[in-house]
Structures are given as C-alpha cells and as structure tokens.
C-alpha cells in the first residue's frame, strides 16, 4: 500500500474515533439535569407551616319540653282545651266516622263546576276533578278536603258548608261555593 493511502486510512480512523468519543461523552448521564434540580431543592431552607386552628367544643342543648304537644300532630278539641280562655266551647266537629266520598280527596280549588243535569226532577251538578273526570253530585253529597257538604245547586254555582279548624282547638262552619267554569 502506498503511504498516501495509509495516511488517508489513518486520518479516517482518527476522525471516526474522535466522533465516537464526542458522542459518548455527550450521552454521559441522561438523568443529570433532574438529579441536579433535586439536589438544589433539597438544599433550600424549609418554610414555616401555620398551626391548625383551634376547634371550639360543641355546646350541647338539652330539650326539656318533651312532654308538650308535638307541633306536627293536629290538635283536636278536648275537655281540657275547652276550659282554656279563648278556646271554642261548641260541640261542632266533623263526623270522623263517616265514609268519605270520592271528591273529598281533592282540594276545592282543584274542582270545577262544568254544568248541571236534571234527571227525573232532580238537579245534579257536574263537577270536573283535577284528573279531568266529570262527576255527578247532588244536595247532601260531600266534596273538598274541608268536609264540604253541598247545600244547594243552581245553574251558576254549587254552595257548600265546610267545617274548618278555628285555630284554637275547635271548629267553625263557613259557606263557600264552586262557580260554573265558563
């Protein structure tokens, strides 16, 4: 081989070794940056942690009125309440033993008079409930949730006598009506 060829080969070999050496030194430690950052954070001085707030003890409440009437149970008139001042002393009250009629399950404002009907000389009122079903009623029937007894039926309205609580343990009568819905 000629000396120029050997020199070229030697130069090529030298360049190859130099490139490989540079590549290997550049890939030294792939986690080096991360390790340096972790060491820097560990070297920092620690901060102050605020103390936990004081928890106030819960104050208990002793309920001493357990013998009083529950506000969730309706108060019916009794002989004990009848002697209190301001209480109703009348014997008026609804008949709780009577079987309820179908229209008594609806509030009175949910019922509509839609007309009248005369059969064999008897005038009937036609009342529509909130389910859009029409019912036939006559004097003496009951409707509404306040024990409303039908007193009279005309072409324009149905008059009822309701028995409602008076707020003092008794009952009062009131007359109301359901007008014809036009």
């Amino acid at each position: 081989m000629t000396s120029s060829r050997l020199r070229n080969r030697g130069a090529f070999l030298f360049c190859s070794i130099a490139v490989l050496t540079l590549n290997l030194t550049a890939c030294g430690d792939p986690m080096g940056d991360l390790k340096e950052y972790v060491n820097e954070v560990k070297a920092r001085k620690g901060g102050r942690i605020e103390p936990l707030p004081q928890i106030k003890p819960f104050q208990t409440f002793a309920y001493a009125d357990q013998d009083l009437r529950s506000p969730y149970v309706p108060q019916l008139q009794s002989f004990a309440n009848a002697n209190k001042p301001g209480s109703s002393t009348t014997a008026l009250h609804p008949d709780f033993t009577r079987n309820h009629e179908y229209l008594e399950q609806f509030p009175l404002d949910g019922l509509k008079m839609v007309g009248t009907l005369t059969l064999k000389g008897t005038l009937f009122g036609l009342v529509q409930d909130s389910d859009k079903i029409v019912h036939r009623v006559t004097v003496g029937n009951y409707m509404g949730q306040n024990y409303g007894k039908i007193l009279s039926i005309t072409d324009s309205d149905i008059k009822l006598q309701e028995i409602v609580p008076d707020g003092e343990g008794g009952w009062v009568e009131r007359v109301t009506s359901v007008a014809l819905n036009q």
Side-chain angles (χ1 to χ4, degrees), residues 8-151:
N8 285 342
R9 199 177 239 193
F12 177 74
L13 188 59
F14 178 74
C15 286
S16 297
I17 292 174
V19 168
L20 284 175
T21 305
L22 285 174
N23 283 340
L24 289 176
T25 56
C27 297
D29 188 10
M31 302 289 275
D33 292 341
L34 180 61
K35 288 179 182 177
E36 184 181 324
Y37 177 73
V38 168
N39 289 334
E40 178 186 324
V41 169
K42 285 182 179 179
R44 290 181 193 164
K45 193 173 188 177
R48 184 175 181 276
I49 298 175
E50 294 292 324
L52 293 175
Q54 284 290 342
I55 298 174
K56 295 178 183 176
F58 180 74
Q59 294 181 355
T60 59
F61 177 77
Y63 184 71
D65 295 332
Q66 62 267 19
D67 295 332
L68 296 178
R69 181 186 70 84
S70 171
Y72 304 107
V73 177
Q75 181 180 7
L76 299 177
Q77 181 179 2
S78 65
F79 293 110
N81 288 339
N83 294 331
K84 290 183 181 176
S87 293
S88 174
T89 57
T90 64
L92 176 69
H93 59 83
D95 183 6
F96 296 111
T97 60
R98 176 183 60 80
N99 289 332
H100 289 284
E101 295 182 21
Y102 182 77
L103 290 177
E104 288 185 271
Q105 67 181 315
F106 300 99
L108 209 53
D109 62 352
L111 300 174
K112 299 176 185 172
M113 180 182 179
V114 292
T116 59
L117 174 69
T118 304
L119 288 175
K120 297 181 184 174
T122 305
L123 183 65
F124 292 95
L126 300 176
V127 177
Q128 185 180 40
D129 63 22
S130 58
D131 296 329
K132 306 292 187 216
I133 299 173
V134 177
H135 303 273
R136 185 175 68 181
V137 295
T138 188
V139 174
N141 286 133
Y142 289 84
M143 58 189 246
Q145 295 177 331
N146 290 323
Y147 311 99
K149 184 176 183 178
I150 298 175
L151 298 175

Side-chain angles (χ1 to χ4, degrees), residues 161-182:
Q161 180 177 12
E162 294 183 313
I163 301 176
V164 295
D166 66 358
E168 296 177 351
W171 299 87
V172 293
E173 290 179 337
R174 76 173 173 202
V175 177
T176 187
S177 65
V178 176
L180 179 65
N181 188 26
Q182 300 195 11

